[in-house]
Amino acid sequence: MSRARLPQTKTVFTRRPYSPGVIDSLFELVKGQTGPSGWILLAEDATTFLLLFILQNSPYAAARLEGDRFRSLTLRDYFHSLASMERPGLTLQIANPVLFKCLLALTQKLPTTSGTTDLVNLESLLHQIKSSGREVVVSQMRKEDLNLFYFLKGKLQEAFFADPDSVSDDGSNEDQFLEYAYAGKSPEPVTIQAYYDVRVTAAEDAELPWPEWPGGIVEYFLRPRPELVFLAGGESVEKKAIGKSRFTLGRNQDCDLVVNDTVASREHATIREGQGKFFLEDLKSRNGTLVNGKRISAVALSDGDEIRIGDCRIMFVEKSQEPPKGDLARLARLDTTALKLDEALLQQAAEVLSPPVEKKEKPTVLGLEMCEGKASGTRYSLKDKTVIGRTKADINTNDPKTSRHHAAIERREDGYYFIDLKSTNGSLINDREVRTQRLAAGDLIRIGDSAFKVIEVDS
């Protein structure tokens, strides 16, 4: 299988021809927008199907469909794969926060249970999930159609179908889950995969400072990364690409480049990327860091600079590799003027990204439902300002991992905003640490050992 039909979402545009100008225009457009925070950019040709997950207006993670499973990619691998595709078409969709997480789990985790409906007893699987009381994602795939089901504390909360007409709309989510697998319109078998580990993370290069690169996001990720050529006593050579915005050097085995020298500090120095340059900073090491024979505290690196830590020599090489054959050269020959997003499409996307505020007689009113915690199942209304905390708050969690005044939810003209009140253990929304974020129905807030689902309530 080289493609998939995802559960239905709101589509911004579909099957647009790819060029670097299309991607650069899109990310220029989303900068600073306050519209939907979760997007999925699909790219497909006759043999390849790629997904780019965009969260809070930045690329977050990426994946490729291989057979009947997805494989996680770095952002750099994604852009190189995209550049090598044969006339790919691009589709941009808005994703429900829960669907966004379900798809991420599929691309980043291995299924705990996998098989077709001939081998997997679905009633037994449902019973097992209910008994576990865990957060679980289950996928059903028939031909190209991918359906997803989200369980929280063992209860089926959300069902997402590629073709909603494939099941009756008057049954429960659980009824639809069984109906599609056993009584669907197609005789084709259904592949079932259950994921009991749904903790998702950003790609390892998601924090790279691509917005500072003048050539745009595509050129940034296609250009070669600088390397450190590590010479230890003249006997061994190690090359390491600087693939992070903060790259550490030191004796500690957790450093990005381990310096096996007793003179080196545990975390001796760091290389940071910014404004298109790479800066080496000594981290107040005991024995210091030399660049081209001179002791430094911080310096901008140039191609060929020699870094010395103890007896170890490390060469900074900025032009050590050529881009994969055909990528930049082929893209440079594209008629990007003809392939760029046209004005009408940009306007269409802009309206979705930042829709005009309309006065409504009955504005959307949000509330919270505790789904994990000592008062699980309790629903809470939200005031103009609602404080959540361990004690003496509008919503008391009675959770020792929650600060006394942990967070607040404020109602503003354009919606509800979650604000972390400098809590000790932080706050997560849809498993991403946040300080301030606009809320939408379906968002999952985690503080300490407590979790709340954002719900719509009658005004």
Side-chain angles (χ1 to χ4, degrees), residues 87-393:
R87 296 184 179 180
L90 301 177
T91 298
L92 181 64
Q93 299 179 331
I94 302 172
N96 171 293
V98 176
L99 174 59
F100 191 91
K101 180 176 182 178
C102 290
L103 284 168
L104 269 175
L106 260 66
T107 66
Q108 297 184 355
K109 304 297 181 179
L110 292 175
T112 307
T113 300
S114 182
T116 65
T117 44
D118 297 333
L119 301 174
V120 178
N121 185 307
L122 292 189
E123 288 87 351
S124 176
L125 177 63
L126 285 173
H127 177 73
Q128 182 183 19
I129 294 173
K130 289 178 182 178
S131 300
S132 74
R134 296 174 61 179
E135 185 181 24
V136 179
V137 171
V138 177
S139 68
Q140 293 182 350
M141 180 170 274
R142 175 186 278 136
K143 291 186 176 180
E144 296 180 356
D145 284 357
L146 175 64
N147 302 333
L148 293 169
F149 304 86
Y150 177 72
F151 296 80
L152 185 62
K153 298 192 73 173
K155 182 180 178 182
L156 180 52
Q157 298 275 356
E158 301 273 4
F160 304 98
F161 291 91
D163 178 12
D165 294 334
S166 61
V167 293
S168 56
D169 57 7
D170 56 353
S172 67
N173 288 341
E174 190 170 310
D175 291 338
Q176 293 175 334
F177 177 88
L178 297 171
E179 178 187 350
Y180 183 87
Y182 290 141
K185 298 177 181 178
S186 171
E188 294 287 333
V190 176
T191 299
I192 306 295
Q193 294 179 336
Y195 299 78
Y196 283 75
D197 180 3
V198 296
R199 294 168 296 176
V200 296
T201 58
E204 63 183 32
D205 51 357
E207 297 301 323
L208 291 178
W210 60 267
E212 300 176 9
W213 185 253
I217 187 171
V218 177
E219 182 180 311
Y220 177 87
F221 281 104
L222 288 184
R223 70 192 183 106
R225 296 294 298 175
E227 286 184 339
L228 295 180
V229 180
F230 183 28
L231 309 173
E235 296 180 359
S236 62
V237 177
E238 178 185 355
K239 291 184 179 181
K240 190 97 177 204
I242 302 175
K244 301 168 64 176
S245 58
R246 183 180 185 273
F247 187 95
T248 55
L249 303 85
R251 199 175 71 250
N252 194 320
Q253 295 298 311
D254 292 333
C255 287
D256 298 302
L257 185 66
V258 179
V259 181
N260 292 314
D261 191 310
T262 55
V263 171
S265 299
R266 294 181 63 82
E267 193 169 288
H268 194 101
T270 184
I271 296 176
R272 293 180 181 272
E273 182 181 3
Q275 303 299 323
K277 296 182 179 180
F278 292 82
F279 298 87
L280 174 69
E281 179 184 357
D282 182 86
L283 299 177
K284 298 181 179 179
S285 64
R286 178 177 299 178
N287 296 296
T289 304
L290 303 180
V291 174
N292 300 329
K294 296 181 180 179
R295 186 161 181 161
I296 60 94
S297 57
V299 67
L301 292 171
S302 299
D303 183 37
D305 281 350
E306 182 183 285
I307 304 165
R308 196 166 189 120
I309 297 176
D311 290 330
C312 298
R313 293 166 48 229
I314 304 164
M315 192 75 68
F316 177 78
V317 183
E318 200 162 11
K319 302 174 182 177
S320 60
Q321 54 183 322
E322 294 296 326
K325 191 173 182 180
D327 279 2
L328 288 174
R330 181 177 65 82
L331 292 175
R333 293 193 296 268
L334 287 174
D335 183 3
T336 56
T337 301
L339 293 178
K340 280 186 179 179
L341 291 169
D342 56 40
E343 291 184 6
L345 187 61
L346 280 171
Q347 182 63 35
Q348 175 188 350
E351 290 174 357
V352 177
L353 282 162
S354 187
V357 178
E358 297 180 1
K359 293 184 179 180
K360 300 180 180 179
E361 294 182 3
K362 293 185 177 181
T364 301
V365 178
L366 299 181
L368 298 181
E369 179 179 350
M370 180 176 277
C371 46
E372 293 182 30
K374 294 185 178 180
S376 181
T378 304
R379 293 193 170 195
Y380 303 91
S381 58
L382 297 175
K383 303 181 295 185
D384 288 340
K385 182 175 182 179
T386 303
V387 176
I388 307 172
R390 187 171 73 247
T391 57
K392 296 183 180 180

Side-chain angles (χ1 to χ4, degrees), residues 366-369 382 439-445 452-456:
L366 299 181
L368 298 181
E369 179 179 350
L382 297 175
L439 295 173
D443 282 346
L444 187 67
I445 302 170
F452 299 86
K453 184 177 181 181
V454 180
I455 58 174
E456 286 191 17

Side-chain angles (χ1 to χ4, degrees), residues 387-393 395-407 420-427 447-448:
V387 176
I388 307 172
R390 187 171 73 247
T391 57
K392 296 183 180 180
I395 299 177
N396 292 321
T397 63
N398 297 314
D399 179 352
K401 293 184 181 179
T402 303
S403 299
R404 289 181 180 275
H405 283 180
H406 194 104
D420 183 272
L421 300 176
K422 298 182 180 179
S423 63
T424 301
N425 295 314
S427 305
I447 57 175

